[in-house]
Amino acid sequence: MATLLLKNIEVLVTMDAQRRELHKTNLLIKDGFIKAIGDGPEGPESADQVLDLSDHVVFPGLINTHHHFYQTLTRAVPKAQNANLFNWLVTLYPIWARLTPEDIRISTQTALAELALSGCTTASDHLYLFPNGSKLDDEIHAAAEVGMRLHASRGSMSLGESKGGLPPDSVVDTEEHILKDSQRLIETYHDPNPGSMIQIVLAPCSPFSVTTELMRQSAQLAREYGVHLHTHLAETQDEEDFCLEMFGHKPVAYMQEVDWIGDDVWFAHSVHVNHDEMSLFAQTGCGVAHCPGSNMRLGSGIAPIMTMRELGVNVGIGVDGSASNDSSHLLGEARLAMLLSRVGAGLQGASRSGEDAPPLMSGRQALEIATRGGAAVLGRDDIGSLEVGKCGDLIAFNLNRLEYAGALHDPVAAPFFCTPQNVDLNIVGGKIIVKDGQMVNLDVPHLIQQHNQAAKRLLNG
Ligand SMILES: [Zn+2]
């Protein structure tokens, strides 16, 4: 029975139903779950481990709803720096075709280190090419060493160039193998229970890289096992043109056609969606992983996140990437969501005062999207807020730092308005994975060295 007591927390943001913010309080975690919150008799005097969090603001752990860990090996590739999505992909596919199982391991740990240091406690990843004997297992095993919760998406590509798709035939797989491997992974790893550290998701890559048949069969298989479905959708105008020409539908209508609508589905991006399509997401429970850094980097557009939230769509944050961001800083991404939403509001008249001016996203709303929002998108009710009975997943920032100087009128908003910082403490299921701003389970300098060697080999061929 391991217990961890966090004492004297300056501000604890619960993100519970009342959005309570508690001052000078304590939080006790027992066996991975929150046992007590408060400063009264419910808080014990001691525990197996006690940390004093005076001068710290504590948030629920942030949740990342979209990523491609392996792409940390191909950040800032010169030929892909100034390209839109389709040209960026065509440049990178041949480089990614050289990935090995060891590259998957190294890049997984690099991405998770960056995520953990920037406040993430649960990460979703989308791995959709498996060259040279690579498997999703390589990622799952590497992640287990770091100690973060993982929603590992078994991605796939089956529509190669010769069949009218975008990727070269060398990186696509047969549908028979994709479905067989998906089933094996679910049966081997998927844990749907509260406190789950690993869940499997089925994730054909995008409308322009898999067949209609694979979309349908993936949905059928996922529903047989009760696992979630994920794909890229409505990211660019190119994609919309492709779907209209290839399938006779816009992307969202195509999803309806292939039975990919429901509360077990979430889409990355959803930049190019209209009011009716967003209403459909709200009515049916389809979630959206908003990736503002990637959308800006590739010039994809501004996703209408505030409208989605008004309509009741579940929205989370995803760093995407890391070749299209080129960062895995989750707190920084939540800040970009706030700022990009304000650019969108400005284009709709927010810079002119008046009752009909669109509202600006607040720091607290950005935090809500990155916590409760992400949990809803991933279909979890055991994470995303700090309440008795929920997972002991939380992060803490020391408020005594240069970047927050002069911002302590509102220590909850400061991390979103000021330059994004790394956390001082990150706890997942009551276990400390970042302490004093350092990864507990990883030798980061050694990892950086291995990562740069692997990146160089990939690019040089
Ligand atoms: Zn993506």
Side-chain angles (χ1 to χ4, degrees), residues 280-413:
L280 177 74
F281 288 176
Q283 285 155 17
T284 57
C286 286
V288 170
H290 175 44
C291 308
S294 171
N295 296 159
M296 286 190 271
R297 171 15 164 132
L298 295 170
S300 302
I302 304 174
I305 295 306
M306 289 294 268
T307 308
M308 287 188 203
R309 280 171 52 85
E310 272 167 35
L311 291 169
V313 180
N314 290 327
V315 180
I317 297 284
V319 296
D320 201 3
S322 260
S324 67
N325 186 330
D326 304 65
S327 158
S328 303
H329 202 288
L330 189 51
L331 175 70
E333 199 69 23
R335 179 175 187 262
L336 285 183
M338 177 181 83
L339 296 178
L340 183 59
S341 167
R342 290 176 178 217
V343 174
L347 295 172
Q348 289 165 12
S351 66
R352 182 174 293 131
S353 299
E355 276 182 15
D356 56 351
L360 303 183
M361 186 187 289
S362 69
R364 282 171 174 77
Q365 284 173 319
L367 177 61
E368 185 175 310
I369 293 170
T371 53
R372 287 182 73 93
V377 164
L378 297 185
R380 293 188 69 147
D381 58 10
D382 58 339
I383 57 175
S385 61
L386 297 176
E387 300 172 72
V388 172
K390 301 255 177 173
C391 291
D393 294 8
L394 56 88
I395 55 173
F397 296 88
N398 189 332
L399 294 166
N400 289 321
R401 60 210 309 158
L402 180 64
E403 293 82 0
Y404 298 162
L408 300 185
H409 334 286
D410 189 349
V412 177

Side-chain angles (χ1 to χ4, degrees), residues 66 68 232 269 320:
H66 186 65
H68 312 285
H232 295 92
H269 303 299
D320 201 3

